[in-house]
Every structure is written in structure tokens, then in C-alpha cells.
Amino acid sequence: MELESVPGVGAKTATALRELDDPKRALRDGDVATLSQAPGISEGRAARIARGAIRADHDDPGGFAATPRAREIFREALGLLQSRTVTDYAAKRLETLYPSGVQSRIEEVRAFTERAMDREPDPDVRAALSGVEPLADPGDVRVRDRCLATSDAEHYAAAQEAIPEVSVEVVDDARQLAELARSYSTVVALDEAFAGVDVEGDVRVEPNALEEPASVVPERVLTFFARNRDRVAAAAEVHRVAGLDAPCDLDALADALDRLDEDGSVRGDDELDRLATAVDDLDAAVSTAESVANDHLREAIEERDVTIEGTDLLSLVERGAGVDSLLGRELADEYAAAVEQARDHLVDALNLRDTETMARRAFPDEPTYPVERQEDVVSRLREELTAARDRRATRQKRELADDLADVRGDAERLVANALELDVELAVARFAADFDCTLPEITEDRGFDIEGGRSPLLDVPFEAVEPVDYGVDGVTVLSGVNSGGKTSTLDLVALVTTLAHMGLPVPAESARIGRVAELHYHAKTQGTLDAGAFESTLREFGALVTDITTDRSVMVLVDELESITEPGAAATIIAGILESLTEREATGVFVSHLAEDILEASDADLAIDGIQAAGLVDGELRVNRSPVKGQLARSTPELIVEKLADDDGEDGFYAGLLGKFD
């Protein structure tokens, strides 16, 4: 499949799709989540692109819903399904379903529907799904403490493409490599020629680094899982609650995720925590240690009476000596004790181990007051602790990244499975909520619906009366006002649309003849002007002219007589019905002019009627299932009949009733 061959995919969109690992697979599977990860493509657009790809794959010309009302029925049906999803993804994914006259597409979705209807719409699964979203691909990872180094131009370009998260530097010799090592905490040399070079700093020679980017930039894997941890965890919970087969060990995955912090760093390592705390608290600990030493020394001075002979004082002054010399002579032991307390505090406060000896040198042996740190020693201590922390962090990151890199594909499948489960459960809930069944799709014209109930009515579904109705060719449907003629057309249109989507239908059973197009013309509000009337006739003219055995259609029309005068309307409808009958189309025309249409037609047209049982307490009682071959009685006739029963056989109303015969 060439990307540009997909309807709706131009050169710019194709370029964006090529950024994906396997765009053709995503298009083929209708994977909206993956398609929407392409630059500039929203989930809604991804669904439209996927739908176009599916049509191309099945050689589907589209256009099943051929009129505005037919498209409304489709959108309403789709809305019923989408309202039963938990995730936004599932709602968008359902938009890849559409009514089609192509058998292969119908069968493809029916196979999915059969699996979906076997699912149990468990509320616990629905609750678990609430935390699942498509995975985010963090494209903003940038690592500045390490770099790649190479002397080869081809390696340079390949490295920039393979590992864009770090800088790539060109070096010619060991001297330049050493310069890099002073600027970066870690340098990864890609050229084998650098093997064995003795360079100060963390310089690793890894010719295969580009093949294993996680070893160079473990942050790539860690950031992915950090950003998606809640989504992966929710998907794992969906698998547990729903009893789905997981692609990996869920407990092991949970343990690995528990070691990962929100910022992508590793947590749960005591040694790393110790080193990180030591770096963060170094300055404060040194300052406190200074205070400990000075407080001790001050107390010692305050408690001592120091006597200095005049000749000694004169000698100290002549030598330019100060209090340091006095401390060294008179308070050497107290000073040593004070400094030892400072050193002990620093070591204990930072819980130092390997660097304890260096830390103790931070306070000098030579007496001084006040006691002050040796800044150069503190700086070296900070460098050592920072380097130890970074080495430990990098090692921990690499180990965790190695573990998580092995299950990244499994995590992606976990989330994908959970999202697809939401799609299936939406279909399962739809089928359960509306007592649906899978219809039989045949190559014969017509339809046969038993126990059909429309969820599109503005009443609770439980209150909807079931309808039995079948048509083998073209028929006129008559009925009393408010008897349910339009609702019956809506039901037929809905069942036909759902059947051609490959989905279950709200009926006890249904047989639907496969058609290429559904033409549903809703009732027009008011008489059309001459131009609009001509346009409407042209539509029907094109329709009856273009129908062939390869392009079967279903035509549903609601009170076409409203477009013009009743007399002319009956003649026009009769002519249209004759043409549809000749071309073996399936059609139902709702009309109050059924009797006039039959008289105007030269063909033997079928007629059905939604029969009223009568008026009870002023309310019309109707048998909602059309009766084959019978013209429905009108509401005025029923009212006159009721009045005649009350008036007697010789009364005015009895005579008026006789006019209906």
C-alpha cells in the first residue's frame, strides 16, 4: 500500500506518517492511536485517514449513506456506540467503522463483532479502563552530561540520527578526546581506533553503541515509562480484572515501574539516595560542622584562664603572631578536640564512606580561630561525591533501562489491548442495552425485521413497542397520523445501516439484503418552489437511471407528496415506484396518498398499512407492525366511526361513515 494512494493522504501527510515505525500496519489495522502519533495528525484526522485506508484495502467506493437523512442515521448509530466507550481513543477508533456495500468489509467487521459480543460488560473493567490512554512518545529528551565522539563523518551523521538526545562531537585524536572528557561526565567513543587510549575521565569505547541506544541514553526508555507509567499500570489492571492474557509478567513489570520516579530517575536505591543527599547537603553540613567546632572552642576559651608573661606577649607581637599561635601553645588539645568534633559531624551528617578521609581534611590541623573549612578540599569532596552519585545513577539507569527496554513492546501491547477491549466492550454494551442480534446478510433484495425496536425514539428503550416488518421489493406504507410510519422508516434505515457496518441490530432477528447505497429522503417541511421541486425530481431520475445489478439500492421516502400538490404527487410517486420496481430495488414509500398512488400506477404495487385498533378515551391505539397488503384506515375515519357508534345506524355520522366505503 502506497501511502499517497490512501484517500485523504497527500504528500505532506505521507511524510508525517513515515515518521511512524510501521505506518502501513497502522493503516491496515485502523490503529488510530499510532496514527495520531504522527506529527500534526489529531485522533479525529487519524480516524478519517484509517477509514480511507480501509476503503482502499477493500476497494470500497464509499457513498453508502447517499442522502443527508441516511448520513444522520449513521451518525446517530455511531453516537450510540461512542457513548458506551470509556476512553477517548475507543470513541475515535469506532469512527473507522462505517456502512459499506462491500461484502469483504462487512465480513471483516462481523468477525470483530462476534468476538465483541462474547465479552461481558463488567463494571469493574469499565472502572479500570478509565485510567487507560494511548501512550505518549516523549520527544523532548535531552541529555547534556554525556556525548558521542567519532572521527568518521558517516558515523557522525548516523549518530545524530540514531541518538539525537546527546551531542555528537568530531575528534581527531586522543588529545581532543581528553578535552571532551573534561567537558562531559561521560564520553562514548564510537571508533574502535580509540580502544586502549589512556584518557582521564569516564571515556568508554563502544563501537556498537548506535545499535543499542538505551546503553548510551537510558533516559530514552526511562522517560517513556515515566511519562506513561500510570497508563501502563492502568492497562495492566484492565488485564487482571478482565482476565486477559498479558504479553508479559505483570508483577515483574509493576516492580520495575516502582523503581522509576516521576522525573525518570531511579528510586529505591539506598546507596544512590545516600550519595544524592550528601551532594545536596554538603554545604549545609560543612557550615554546621564549622559551628560545632567554633562553639566548642569558644566554650573552652571562656572557661580557661590564660596567663601570658610579658616577655612572651612581647615575643608574640614582635613575631607578628596572633591568636593562632596562642591557641597552638595554650589550647592545642581543645582545638584538636573541636576540629575532631567538626570532622565527625561532617562524616556522620553526610553518612560518608569512601570519601571519609577526604572529608576529614576539610578542617585543618593547624590551629585557627574561628575554625574555617578548607575550600579546596570541600570542592574536591563535592566533585568526588557528585561523580560517585552520577556513576551510581547512570549504572542504575542503565540496569533499569535494560529491564524496561525488554518489555517496552509488551507495555505497548498491554495498552493497545486495553484500548481495543474498550472498543469491543462498547459494542457489547450496545448489543446488551438494545437487545441486539447479528443480522443475516443476503444477496436477495428486501429485508425482514422481527421484533425490531428503535433506540432513536425519544422514549426509554424499554417502552418502545417491537415492530415486525418485511419488504421484498418496493411498497407503499400507509398509516394513521402518529401511527409510527416515520419511526418504522427510521428503524429500517438503522437496521440496514448497522447491518452494513457489520454490527448487531436492535431486533429479535433480521434479514437484510446487501445494497450499495441507502437513499433515505426525510419528509419535507412545506411545499417546494419550482426550482427545488425540479431538483428533487432530478435526484430521483438519476437514481432510477443509475441502478444496476451491481449497484443495488434501498430507497426510503417519507411523504414525498409534501413537495407539491397531492394530485400531482400521487402521479409522480407512482412513476418513481414503477421505475424502482423494474430495476429490482428495495423501497418503502410512506404516503397518505396510498390509494391514489395505486390508482395512478400501471404496475401492481404492493401496499402495507400500520393499522389503528381504534380510539380509546380519545387516544389512538395502533398496531405498530405494518400489515401486508392492507391499506391503513385514516384517523378521521376512526373518529367518524366512533361517533357513528354513539349516534346509531340512522344518524348523521353513520351516513358520513358510509362515504369512506
Side-chain angles (χ1 to χ4, degrees):
M1 176 192 299
E2 293 298 327
L3 297 182
E4 286 85 350
S5 68
V6 175
V9 176
K12 185 176 179 181
T13 301
T15 299
L17 292 174
R18 290 190 181 97
E19 295 288 324
L20 304 174
D21 289 338
D22 191 354
K24 293 183 180 180
R25 194 278 312 161
L27 288 169
R28 184 173 58 253
D29 296 347
D31 188 347
V32 174
T34 296
L35 293 174
S36 63
Q37 291 176 4
I41 295 181
S42 64
E43 284 188 347
R45 187 161 177 232
R48 292 191 295 273
I49 291 171
R51 195 161 56 239
I54 292 169
R55 282 185 171 142
D57 188 47
H58 289 278
D59 196 22
D60 185 347
F64 178 90
T67 61
R69 182 55 184 155
R71 290 189 284 274
E72 286 178 9
I73 292 290
F74 162 56
R75 297 309 304 182
E76 290 181 48
L78 187 61
L80 291 173
L81 287 158
Q82 291 176 313
S83 66
R84 283 158 177 77
T85 62
V86 177
T87 63
D88 291 339
Y89 166 84
K92 296 298 183 184
R93 175 72 170 85
L94 283 168
E95 291 189 6
T96 64
L97 303 182
Y98 63 92
S100 171
V102 179
Q103 184 67 26
S104 61
R105 173 56 181 170
I106 297 173
E107 291 176 353
E108 182 178 69
V109 181
R110 280 175 68 92
F112 155 79
T113 299
E114 289 174 352
R115 295 194 305 272
M117 292 178 69
D118 288 337
R119 299 285 187 190
E120 185 66 32
D122 189 336
D124 292 337
V125 177
R126 186 179 179 88
L129 279 167
S130 63
V132 183
E133 296 179 52
L135 296 174
D137 187 14
D140 57 350
V141 178
R142 186 69 184 170
V143 180
R144 304 187 185 280
D145 67 347
R146 74 200 73 133
C147 73
L148 297 172
T150 180
S151 61
D152 185 272
E154 291 185 3
H155 275 178
Y156 177 83
Q160 284 188 314
E161 182 176 355
I163 310 180
E165 296 92 342
V166 300
S167 295
V168 184
E169 306 289 347
V170 176
V171 294
D172 295 326
D173 50 34
R175 181 184 59 80
Q176 292 181 344
L177 197 62
E179 290 177 359
L180 283 180
R182 286 192 289 270
S183 302
Y184 294 94
S185 63
T186 301
V187 177
V188 179
L190 301 177
D191 304 345
E192 226 173 302
F194 289 116
V197 173
D198 186 14
V199 176
E200 184 178 349
D202 185 12
V203 177
R204 306 198 306 261
V205 180
E206 297 183 9
N208 297 324
L210 301 188
E211 299 173 10
E212 300 175 358
S215 67
V216 178
V217 190
E219 290 86 352
R220 178 187 294 185
V221 175
L222 299 181
T223 303
F224 170 82
F225 277 99
R227 299 268 180 94
N228 294 294
R229 181 172 54 186
D230 292 343
R231 305 175 189 196
V232 173
E237 182 63 16
V238 169
H239 280 69
R240 291 190 184 95
V241 176
L244 299 179
D245 291 333
C248 63
D249 186 329
L250 298 182
D251 291 334
L253 176 61
D255 290 342
L257 291 177
D258 284 342
R259 294 165 55 197
L260 186 63
D261 216 335
E262 292 181 358
D263 61 357
S265 60
V266 179
R267 64 184 179 186
D269 181 73
D270 293 338
E271 177 63 9
L272 180 58
D273 292 343
R274 182 187 71 82
L275 291 169
T277 300
V279 173
D280 293 341
D281 296 350
L282 176 60
D283 288 333
V286 170
S287 296
T288 303
E290 286 178 335
S291 298
V292 167
N294 288 316
D295 290 345
H296 177 86
L297 199 55
R298 185 181 300 108
E299 291 175 3
I301 293 172
E302 290 173 349
E303 293 175 359
R304 291 285 297 273
D305 292 329
V306 180
T307 302
I308 303 176
E309 296 292 338
T311 55
D312 291 337
L313 178 60
L314 184 60
S315 176
L316 289 171
V317 172
E318 288 175 346
R319 295 200 308 268
V323 70
D324 295 349
S325 298
L326 179 62
L327 288 172
R329 196 186 75 176
E330 299 292 335
L331 297 170
D333 291 341
E334 294 297 341
Y335 178 83
V339 168
E340 192 62 24
Q341 285 188 14
R343 291 167 175 169
D344 288 344
H345 175 83
L346 180 60
V347 170
D348 292 342
L350 299 181
N351 192 16
L352 299 180
R353 297 172 187 171
D354 297 340
T355 54
E356 178 180 348
T357 301
M358 180 183 294
R360 289 187 175 279
R361 293 199 300 271
F363 297 98
D365 292 328
E366 294 299 322
T368 181
Y369 186 83
V371 178
E372 293 181 345
R373 73 189 77 180
Q374 297 198 92
E375 197 62 54
D376 59 333
V377 176
V378 174
S379 295
R380 288 198 301 273
L381 178 60
R382 181 181 293 105
E383 291 173 0
E384 285 291 325
L385 289 172
T386 301
R389 179 201 64 187
D390 292 346
R391 285 194 299 271
R392 181 79 182 183
T394 299
R395 184 163 60 252
Q396 292 294 310
K397 283 182 177 181
R398 293 182 72 173
E399 291 175 0
L400 181 55
D402 286 343
D403 293 341
L404 289 174
D406 291 338
V407 296
R408 175 164 177 168
D410 294 334
E412 290 172 344
R413 283 190 291 276
L414 268 179
V415 173
N417 291 347
L419 292 172
E420 287 300 318
L421 177 64
D422 190 22
V423 181
E424 293 182 8
L425 288 177
V427 174
R429 282 191 287 273
F430 173 84
D433 290 348
F434 301 123
D435 296 332
C436 292
T437 186
L438 267 177
E440 177 187 1
I441 307 293
T442 71
E443 296 303 315
D444 300 325
R445 66 175 180 169
F447 61 86
D448 189 10
I449 301 170
E450 294 187 7
R453 290 189 293 164
S454 173
L456 303 181
L457 296 175
D458 193 21
V459 296
F461 183 72
E462 296 75 15
V464 177
E465 296 179 34
V467 171
D468 299 334
Y469 191 38
V471 169
D472 290 330
V474 178
T475 190
V476 179
L477 178 61
S478 61
V480 296
N481 289 332
S482 302
K485 300 185 297 299
T486 299
S487 298
T488 300
L489 279 192
D490 284 350
L491 174 65
V492 173
L494 177 64
V495 169
T496 300
T497 298
L498 289 169
H500 285 78
M501 292 175 73
L503 296 172
V505 301
E508 294 177 7
S509 67
R511 175 192 63 81
I512 304 295
R514 184 165 61 90
V515 295
E517 297 173 9
L518 171 63
H519 293 257
Y520 185 178
H521 293 270
K523 180 162 53 177
T524 302
Q525 299 298 320
T527 303
L528 299 181
D529 60 32
F533 177 65
E534 179 182 350
S535 177
T536 300
L537 287 184
R538 287 184 180 277
E539 287 183 31
F540 281 101
L543 173 63
V544 298
T545 302
D546 293 344
I547 294 176
T548 65
T549 55
D550 294 332
R551 185 175 168 269
S552 56
V553 300
M554 176 182 289
V555 184
L556 306 176
V557 181
D558 193 4
E559 295 188 22
L560 186 61
E561 61 264 27
S562 63
I563 67 174
T564 187
E565 296 87 354
T571 302
I572 291 169
I573 294 171
I576 294 172
L577 290 171
E578 289 172 2
S579 296
L580 292 174
T581 301
E582 291 174 1
R583 287 159 177 76
E584 298 187 349
T586 298
V588 178
F589 277 58
V590 166
S591 179
H592 288 290
L593 305 177
E595 197 167 7
D596 296 332
I597 293 169
L598 293 179
E599 291 178 1
S601 175
D602 295 329
D604 186 15
L605 298 179
I607 189 166
D608 302 326
I610 296 178
Q611 301 294 340
L615 292 170
V616 178
D617 296 330
E619 292 186 6
L620 191 66
R621 293 290 186 264
V622 178
N623 176 10
R624 302 292 178 180
S625 296
V627 178
K628 305 296 293 180
Q630 289 191 15
L631 183 67
R633 301 171 67 191
S634 67
T635 302
E637 181 180 358
L638 292 172
I639 294 173
V640 171
E641 181 180 63
K642 180 179 183 300
L643 293 173
D645 289 340
D646 296 337
D647 193 34
E649 294 182 0
D650 298 328
F652 167 75
Y653 297 109
L656 192 58
L657 180 62
K659 299 293 184 179
F660 285 94
D661 296 333

